[in-house]
Amino acid sequence: MPRTRCRPRPTHAQTLKPVTTLCPECGHRLDFDYANFRTVTTLDAVTRLTLQIRRCPQLGCPRYHRPYRPEAESHFALPHHEFGLDVIALVGRLRYAEHRSVPEIHQELRRRQVAIAQRTVTNLLERYDELRALATADPQRLHPLLQGQQRVLLAIDGLQPDVGHEVLWVLRDCLSGEILLAKSLLSASTRDLAALLAEVRDALPVPITGALSDGQETIRQAVAQELPGVPHQLCHFHYLREAARPIYEADRHAKKELKKRVRGVRPIERSVEGEEDAEAEIVRGYCAAVRAAVTDDGRPPLAAPGLVLCARLEAIAASLDRVAARARVLPVGLRKLRQLLRRGLEQTASLWPSVRVAYRWVKQVAQLLKNRAELPVAAVRRRLSRILSGMRQVAAQTEAEDLRRQLRHFLKVTKSYRPGLFHCYGMADLPRTNNDLEHLFGSHRYHERPASGRMAASPGLVVMGSVRVLAGLATRLRPEEGLELPTGYVARWQEIRAGLAKRREARRQQRRFRRAPVPYLQQLEELADKLSLPP
């Protein structure tokens, strides 16, 4: 959409001159050749910049007639940009620190007398992501911080909002909390992940003394290849979730069957609507308890929502039994509710014994891995071996096929994870779980939701994630830093932007095919025909 208003007139004027007066190649004096003019809108004024351009007049110099622009120009604005760096910094702070949407940011800028279009706010937000990520990953800022702690404990994990698309891989230091690298990859092969680990390892000023991840096989192989001899801790949460998956599924199935059989609470509630006596209040209270129990869900690996539901409904039924024993005659509503609960519990009674037995074993392993007594590594290994031996014996002796299958799956997964479960007990500050990095992804989704309205991570997060995650996290944790850009940042920023442009173009091609498959394929066929023609 073209401009509908004239660009505001400058209110200030400033002249910038190059600090460099001698050619860095031949040492000859640089002559003033011509002047450029540009208008930059900042939060305080609209400034007319006069840029004096110098050139080397020496004919044999490799930099003959190449322009030297004022070094201070990059401190006002980006090349070919109308708005200053302070406007970009404000846009980023409003987005990530105050969670404002693009229309809200546009309104705030207009309130500050900044003449800007709403679409431009989106463009400036992308520039902020790139610049803040560049400033956060600056070695001059990061290296002193890492040298002070003298080591790095590396955590790695990936985020894939769309199945079949790219994966955003993030490598983070567990000690400082700094993100060392964020990059989107088309695959999760060992070679790709090994390249990421090698890039981080070579850029660090201190050694990597520990690694942390989930149990993905390609990550294990990449760590063993690029970080030989470094203890690789496997996440206890991911281990228990994967090992207990069949148990959790059995619990969820039993819960679903029990919920089917206790439907009918709403008619009992309707029967006492409008009544204000004590009997109606009691009926509503018991119905509310049943509804609260039915609607409460748990999450794997240790939460057993089915067992919790069964226990709560049993407690409600037992309470009704006690009321009936004391009063001898229950009100009609309570009698119906009691019959409903008893029927549901009796019809699903056969589903719970194996789930209870399996979850007891899971919780034994979980309590041991917490190691609240701070036992040495050897003692934790021995105790886990004893628990697994008991689990193996129960699996061999039980007549319940479901329980046998669940315990054998747990033992199989434990065998795979076991070599990487104990490094955290022998190394200070090495976490047991990779949940901090998982929480980082969740935190980004949580802070994006008020501004974007999305519950899940947006597909664009993978495209822009290599800078957006860094920018969002750094702004929320250190809003006072602003845009502290290193000297000569423009070239590095242009490299980052070019890489993001390639990734956006790849995603754009996918959209083009979905919207018009036939023209898209015809265009590719024409290109292929041109390649087949003789030169």
Side-chain angles (χ1 to χ4, degrees):
M1 179 177 178
R3 282 181 179 271
T4 58
R5 298 179 182 178
C6 296
R7 181 176 296 180
R9 292 182 177 275
T11 58
H12 290 72
Q14 189 170 351
T15 300
L16 302 180
K17 300 179 181 180
V19 175
T20 303
T21 58
L22 300 177
C23 178
E25 290 289 340
C26 65
H28 194 278
R29 181 178 177 82
L30 299 175
D31 293 341
F32 170 74
D33 192 9
Y34 61 95
N36 272 351
F37 303 92
R38 62 181 298 191
T39 301
V40 176
T41 301
T42 64
L43 295 176
D44 301 323
V46 179
T47 305
R48 176 73 167 179
L49 294 179
T50 301
L51 310 173
Q52 293 188 2
I53 312 299
R54 299 179 183 271
R55 286 182 177 180
C56 179
Q58 195 71 13
L59 287 174
C61 178
R63 292 179 175 264
Y64 172 68
H65 261 219
R66 290 181 59 180
Y68 287 87
R69 303 178 67 87
E71 293 83 355
E73 181 186 7
S74 60
H75 295 285
F76 282 86
L78 292 169
H80 313 293
H81 279 62
E82 177 183 351
F83 296 92
L85 295 179
D86 58 346
V87 178
I88 297 177
L90 176 62
V91 168
R93 182 172 62 80
L94 292 175
R95 176 70 165 189
Y96 294 117
E98 301 184 16
H99 320 303
R100 300 201 195 182
S101 63
V102 170
E104 291 171 338
I105 298 173
H106 179 247
Q107 292 176 4
E108 175 64 21
L109 292 174
R110 294 304 300 264
R111 188 186 68 81
R112 292 171 177 254
Q113 306 301 319
V114 178
I116 187 172
Q118 183 171 317
R119 184 178 63 178
T120 305
V121 174
T122 303
N123 297 333
L124 294 184
L125 183 59
E126 293 180 357
R127 301 294 84 75
Y128 177 83
D129 291 341
E130 298 157 2
L131 293 176
R132 190 59 193 265
L134 175 62
T136 302
D138 180 23
Q140 295 181 359
R141 186 195 74 88
L142 196 58
H143 285 188
L145 178 65
L146 299 179
Q147 287 173 343
Q149 63 190 33
Q150 299 182 349
R151 59 179 180 143
V152 164
L153 298 178
L154 190 65
I156 179 172
D157 199 5
L159 175 66
Q160 188 179 27
D162 287 342
V163 177
H165 289 280
E166 304 98 322
V167 181
L168 174 63
W169 289 97
V170 175
L171 285 78
R172 178 175 178 266
D173 175 34
C174 298
L175 297 177
S176 64
E178 294 286 342
I179 295 179
L180 304 178
L181 180 65
K183 183 175 291 188
S184 297
L185 298 177
L186 290 173
S187 66
S189 64
T190 301
R191 181 167 58 180
D192 292 338
L193 297 179
L196 291 183
L197 292 172
E199 182 178 349
V200 170
R201 180 199 60 205
D202 297 340
L204 291 177
V206 294
I208 299 174
T209 60
L212 173 65
S213 73
D214 57 25
Q216 188 171 331
E217 187 61 30
T218 54
I219 299 179
R220 299 192 203 185
Q221 295 174 359
V223 172
Q225 175 181 327
E226 296 298 329
L227 304 175
V230 173
H232 184 191
Q233 173 69 30
L234 300 182
C235 176
H236 288 178
F237 174 82
H238 286 85
Y239 154 62
L240 290 173
R241 185 176 64 180
E242 184 176 347
R245 183 173 289 115
I247 306 173
Y248 180 81
E249 293 297 330
D251 175 84
R252 190 177 66 169
H253 170 71
K255 178 184 178 182
K256 180 183 68 175
E257 295 299 322
L258 179 57
K259 288 174 66 175
K260 283 182 182 178
R261 288 161 175 79
V262 296
R263 290 173 182 169
V265 178
R266 184 57 181 157
I268 298 175
E269 289 177 314
R270 285 200 185 100
S271 66
V272 295
E273 281 184 354
E275 300 181 13
E276 300 298 334
D277 57 348
E279 180 179 314
E281 189 66 24
I282 295 172
V283 172
R284 282 194 290 267
Y286 274 105
C287 290
V290 174
R291 191 176 296 280
V294 169
T295 57
D296 187 18
D297 290 326
R299 294 182 178 274
L302 299 180
L307 292 177
V308 172
L309 173 63
C310 181
R312 288 173 176 172
L313 294 185
E314 286 177 347
I316 295 172
S319 176
L320 290 172
D321 290 343
R322 291 192 294 269
V323 172
R326 289 194 294 266
R328 295 187 181 180
V329 178
L330 283 175
V332 176
L334 294 184
R335 188 165 62 250
K336 291 182 178 179
L337 183 62
R338 180 189 180 194
Q339 294 173 353
L340 183 70
L341 296 180
R342 283 300 176 193
R343 183 173 64 249
L345 292 171
E346 290 172 0
Q347 291 177 355
T348 59
S350 62
L351 301 176
W352 302 110
S354 61
V355 176
R356 287 193 179 94
V357 173
Y359 259 108
R360 280 200 294 268
W361 287 107
V362 173
K363 292 185 176 181
Q364 283 188 49
V365 175
Q367 288 296 326
L368 174 65
L369 294 179
K370 287 182 180 178
N371 195 20
R372 298 187 186 277
E374 299 183 358
L375 300 173
V377 176
V380 178
R381 286 179 181 273
R382 286 196 299 270
R383 294 194 179 190
L384 180 61
S385 297
R386 287 199 292 268
I387 294 175
L388 296 178
S389 297
M391 190 181 300
R392 196 175 293 110
Q393 184 176 359
V394 170
Q397 295 176 354
T398 183
E399 296 181 358
E401 180 61 31
D402 290 343
L403 178 60
R404 182 184 302 110
R405 179 178 54 83
Q406 294 162 9
L407 295 182
R408 285 179 176 174
H409 177 83
F410 195 98
L411 292 167
K412 178 182 177 181
V413 174
T414 302
K415 182 179 179 181
S416 173
Y417 272 82
R418 189 169 182 174
L421 293 178
F422 307 102
H423 297 298
C424 58
Y425 307 124
M427 178 178 293
D429 300 321
L430 183 61
R432 294 188 303 108
T433 70
N434 203 17
N435 289 349
D436 285 345
L437 192 48
E438 295 278 356
H439 292 163
L440 185 147
F441 293 139
S443 172
H444 185 85
R445 291 193 294 265
Y446 171 79
H447 289 284
E448 279 275 310
R449 182 184 174 188
S452 65
R454 290 180 177 270
M455 292 286 291
S458 63
L461 178 59
V462 174
V463 179
M464 294 289 295
S466 57
V467 295
R468 184 166 294 169
V469 171
L470 269 72
L473 178 65
T475 305
R476 291 191 297 271
L477 295 182
R478 297 178 297 275
E480 70 283 353
E481 281 189 6
L483 284 178
E484 297 183 359
L485 298 170
T487 304
Y489 71 90
V490 174
R492 176 60 181 147
W493 165 73
Q494 289 172 339
E495 293 178 5
I496 293 175
R497 189 176 180 187
L500 294 174
K502 291 181 180 179
R503 194 166 295 280
R504 276 195 293 264
E505 179 59 27
R507 183 61 66 97
R508 196 176 295 118
Q509 289 180 356
Q510 297 176 15
R511 290 199 298 269
R512 288 172 182 166
F513 174 76
R514 287 194 291 264
R515 292 173 181 173
V518 175
Y520 182 91
L521 296 176
Q522 287 177 348
Q523 184 179 5
L524 290 180
E525 291 172 7
E526 292 174 1
L527 291 175
D529 292 340
K530 291 179 181 179
L531 291 177
S532 62
L533 294 176

